[in-house]
């Protein structure tokens, strides 16, 4: 049994801040090879970053600005904006760092920045596994596809969160137009492979 399975079976996983389901965590882990270089755009509390860190021996980069300004960029629903406007972002950043320490995720590196501000840290065709789960506005989700589409290796994996949101539909279509093939649809998130 893997460390991730132990955490899920113990009930600890459900207490971690975030929305990544057990099914999604296990699916992500099943797609990550032991030496894969992984990147997550939008970390929040680390609930989806943790399975990545526990699965690969390679470096896992988590990119999140942990800021109100970044969360409110673009057009989202007023309810969404109200929720994100009330967050104590510094507390969440510290929470995430503590979570990674608790589970000995020494391979995790957090970039406290917007995804567009760190894209040049990654060479083209350098990422094996990318999880897109940051701001879900059409503007930001499309911008991330445009910026990161060439960063993923051929046959690499792109997990796209909240694919049932209207604001992410255009970005999903862009990804397909850029040569990514949908290989799994949970109804709320999808897995694409770069062809």
């Amino acid at each position: 049994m893997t460390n991730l399975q132990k955490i899920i079976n113990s009930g600890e996983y459900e207490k971690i801040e975030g929305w990544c389901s057990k099914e999604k965590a296990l699916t992500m882990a099943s797609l990550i090879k032991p030496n894969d270089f992984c990147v997550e755009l939008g970390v929040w509390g680390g609930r989806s970053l943790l399975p990545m860190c526990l699965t690969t021996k390679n470096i896992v980069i988590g990119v999140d600005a942990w800021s109100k300004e970044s969360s409110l960029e673009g057009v989202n629903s007023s309810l969404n904006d109200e929720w994100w406007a009330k967050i104590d972002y510094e507390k969440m950043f510290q929470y995430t760092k503590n979570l990674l320490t608790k589970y000995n995720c020494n391979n995790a590196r957090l970039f406290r920045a917007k995804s567009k501000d760190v894209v040049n840290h990654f060479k083209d065709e350098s990422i094996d596994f990318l999880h897109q789960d940051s701001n879900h506005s059409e503007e930001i989700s499309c911008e991330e596809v445009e910026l990161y589409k060439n960063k993923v290796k051929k046959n690499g994996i792109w997990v796209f969160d909240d694919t049932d949101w209207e604001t992410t539909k255009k970005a999903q279509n862009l990804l397909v137009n850029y040569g990514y093939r949908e290989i799994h649809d949970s109804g709320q998130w999808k897995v694409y492979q770069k062809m």
Side-chain angles (χ1 to χ4, degrees), residues 19-41:
W19 303 274
C20 183
S21 67
K22 293 185 276 187
E23 175 202 358
K24 183 178 178 185
L26 291 170
T27 299
M28 288 171 57
S30 74
L31 294 166
I32 297 171
K33 297 179 214 64
N35 292 309
D36 277 357
F37 174 54
C38 303
V39 174
E40 179 167 59
L41 307 178

Side-chain angles (χ1 to χ4, degrees), residues 2-125:
T2 67
N3 286 340
L4 176 60
Q5 289 168 321
K6 288 177 189 172
I7 293 166
I8 287 174
N9 292 344
S10 73
E12 287 180 53
Y13 187 75
E14 293 171 359
K15 298 174 188 170
I16 297 171
E17 288 284 346
W19 303 274
C20 183
S21 67
K22 293 185 276 187
E23 175 202 358
K24 183 178 178 185
L26 291 170
T27 299
M28 288 171 57
S30 74
L31 294 166
I32 297 171
K33 297 179 214 64
N35 292 309
D36 277 357
F37 174 54
C38 303
V39 174
E40 179 167 59
L41 307 178
V43 177
W44 180 236
R47 191 167 174 166
S48 50
L49 189 69
L50 182 65
M52 297 163 72
C53 292
L54 295 174
T55 305
T56 185
K57 296 174 185 150
N58 205 338
I59 299 296
V60 177
I61 305 289
V63 180
D64 198 310
W66 283 280
S67 77
K68 180 177 170 179
E69 173 200 355
S70 294
S71 296
L72 299 178
E73 270 189 295
V75 178
N76 275 306
S77 74
S78 58
L79 284 175
N80 183 73
D81 287 349
E82 285 174 34
W83 193 88
W84 287 103
K86 297 176 185 176
I87 302 303
D88 181 341
Y89 288 93
E90 192 57 40
K91 181 179 176 183
M92 280 312 301
F93 179 59
Q94 293 304 319
Y95 172 91
T96 305
K97 290 191 332 186
N98 293 340
L99 175 81
L100 297 172
T101 299
K102 175 182 178 179
Y103 291 107
N104 299 312
C105 296
N106 300 322
N107 58 338
R109 306 289 183 272
L110 298 178
F111 288 10
R112 192 169 186 180
K114 295 178 184 182
S115 57
K116 69 180 178 181
D117 295 334
V118 298
V119 68
N120 290 329
H121 282 78
F122 308 107
K123 294 179 182 174
D124 285 355
E125 303 238 343

